[in-house]
C-alpha cells in the first residue's frame, strides 16, 4: 500500500511508449488563442489582463535589456500553471513532479542568466562572489561558499517545485484513502475528512499557481543580478 502511493509519480506509458510528451502538450489545448474579432470573450480578456499584470509586477525591477525576456517568462508562467493545475484532476499525470523536467527547465534558464552576466558585465558578475568589505583571511572561504551557492541555484529551483507538488499530491491521496476507509466505520469522521480533503484541494490549487510564480520570479531575480 505504501508503494502504491508513489505510483502516481511514475511516468505513464502506453505499449512501452512514454506519454510524458503528450502530457506536456495537452495544456496548450486548453489555452485560448487570440481571434480576429473586435471584441474578445471573457476568457481571453481575463487571460490578457492576468498576463499583463504578471509581466508588469515581474519586470519592474529589470533593466530594459532584461525586459526583453517578458514574453519568455510569461509563456513559462502559463505553461507551469497549466501543468500544475491540470495535474490535480483525477486520472492525470503531473510532469512537474519529475526532477528531469524541472531541472531541465531550471538549468538552461539559470545558465542563460549567468552567461549574460559574464558577457555584458563580467566584473560585476564576478563581484557577486565576494561581498564588499570582507576581511582578507575570509576571502578564499567566501569565494568558495558563494560559488557553491551559485551552482546550487538551479538545483534549488527544480527541487522546490517538485517537492511542493509531490508533497501536496501525497497528502491528497493519503486523506482520500482515509476517507474511503472510514466511510463504513465512522461516517461522521469520514465527512470531516472529506471536508478537510476539499480544503486541502483548494490549497493545492493555490500552491500550484504560487510555485509556478515563484519559479519564474526567482529566474527574474537571477536575471536582474546579471543585467
Amino acid at each position: 500500500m505504501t508503494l502504491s502511493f508513489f505510483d502516481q509519480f511514475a511516468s505513464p506509458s502506453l505499449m512501452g511508449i512514454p506519454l510524458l510528451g503528450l502530457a506536456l502538450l495537452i495544456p496548450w489545448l486548453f489555452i485560448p488563442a487570440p481571434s480576429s474579432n473586435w471584441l474578445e470573450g471573457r476568457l481571453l480578456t481575463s487571460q490578457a489582463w492576468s498576463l499583463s499584470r504578471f509581466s508588469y509586477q515581474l519586470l519592474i525591477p529589470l533593466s530594459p535589456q532584461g525586459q526583453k525576456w517578458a514574453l519568455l517568462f510569461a509563456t513559462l508562467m502559463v505553461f507551469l500553471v497549466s501543468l500544475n493545475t491540470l495535474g490535480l484532476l483525477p486520472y492525470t499525470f503531473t510532469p512537474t513532479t519529475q526532477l528531469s523536467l524541472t531541472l531541465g527547465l531550471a538549468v538552461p534558464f539559470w545558465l542563460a542568466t549567468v552567461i549574460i552576466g559574464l558577457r555584458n558585465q563580467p566584473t560585476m558578475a564576478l563581484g557577486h562572489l565576494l561581498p564588499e568589505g570582507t576581511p582578507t583571511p575570509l576571502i578564499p572561504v567566501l569565494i568558495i561558499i558563494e560559488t557553491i551557492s551559485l551552482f546550487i541555484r538551479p538545483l534549488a529551483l527544480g527541487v522546490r517545485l517538485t517537492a511542493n507538488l509531490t508533497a501536496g499530491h501525497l497528502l491528497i491521496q493519503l486523506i482520500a484513502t482515509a476517507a474511503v476507509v472510514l466511510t463504513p466505520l465512522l461516517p461522521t469522521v469520514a465527512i470531516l475528512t472529506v471536508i478537510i480533503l476539499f480544503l486541502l484541494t483548494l490549497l493545492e490549487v493555490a500552491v500550484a499557481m504560487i510555485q509556478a510564480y515563484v519559479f519564474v520570479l526567482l529566474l527574474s531575480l537571477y536575471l536582474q543580478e546579471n543585467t
Side-chain angles (χ1 to χ4, degrees):
M1 178 61 70
T2 304
L3 292 177
S4 66
F5 287 152
F6 294 91
D7 289 344
Q8 60 180 313
F9 304 114
S11 180
S13 59
L14 180 63
M15 301 177 63
I17 301 175
L19 299 180
L20 181 60
L22 181 62
L24 293 175
L25 292 176
I26 284 179
W28 299 114
L29 301 177
F30 297 94
I31 299 175
S35 63
S36 58
N37 298 330
W38 282 95
L39 294 177
E40 302 289 356
R42 291 185 177 89
L43 186 59
L44 277 172
T45 303
S46 60
Q47 175 185 315
W49 180 84
S50 301
L51 287 176
S52 64
R53 295 306 303 172
F54 163 74
S55 302
Y56 177 77
Q57 293 295 330
L58 192 68
L59 301 175
I60 283 179
L62 295 180
S63 63
Q65 184 180 3
Q67 291 178 1
K68 297 177 182 178
W69 289 53
L71 181 60
L72 186 60
F73 280 161
T75 305
L76 181 62
M77 174 71 178
V78 173
F79 181 60
L80 290 177
V81 169
S82 302
L83 287 179
N84 295 347
T85 51
L86 288 177
L88 293 172
L89 297 175
Y91 302 104
T92 56
F93 172 68
T94 312
T96 43
T97 57
Q98 307 293 311
L99 275 175
S100 58
L101 175 64
T102 54
L103 290 180
L105 291 174
V107 172
F109 280 107
W110 164 81
L111 187 59
T113 60
V114 173
I115 292 175
I116 286 175
L118 292 175
R119 185 187 65 180
N120 296 337
Q121 44 184 15
T123 303
M124 187 174 296
L126 295 176
H128 290 304
L129 300 179
L130 184 63
E132 187 177 356
T134 303
T136 304
L138 295 179
I139 288 178
V141 178
L142 281 180
I143 290 178
I144 294 174
I145 292 175
E146 291 296 329
T147 304
I148 293 174
S149 67
L150 177 65
F151 283 97
I152 285 178
R153 284 180 175 181
L155 182 63
L157 270 179
V159 171
R160 179 187 293 108
L161 181 59
T162 298
N164 281 281
L165 296 178
T166 302
H169 284 62
L170 282 176
L171 278 175
I172 289 177
Q173 185 163 358
L174 285 170
I175 296 178
T177 304
V180 172
V181 172
L182 291 173
T183 299
L185 303 176
L186 300 170
T188 305
V189 179
I191 293 175
L192 294 177
T193 307
V194 171
I195 294 175
I196 295 175
L197 178 62
F198 175 73
L199 296 176
L200 179 62
T201 303
L202 294 181
L203 177 63
E204 284 306 310
V205 173
V207 168
M209 297 180 180
I210 292 172
Q211 287 304 315
Y213 175 76
V214 169
F215 188 92
V216 180
L217 177 62
L218 290 176
L219 284 176
S220 71
L221 293 178
Y222 300 158
L223 182 64
Q224 180 184 355
E225 289 183 1
N226 292 284
T227 54

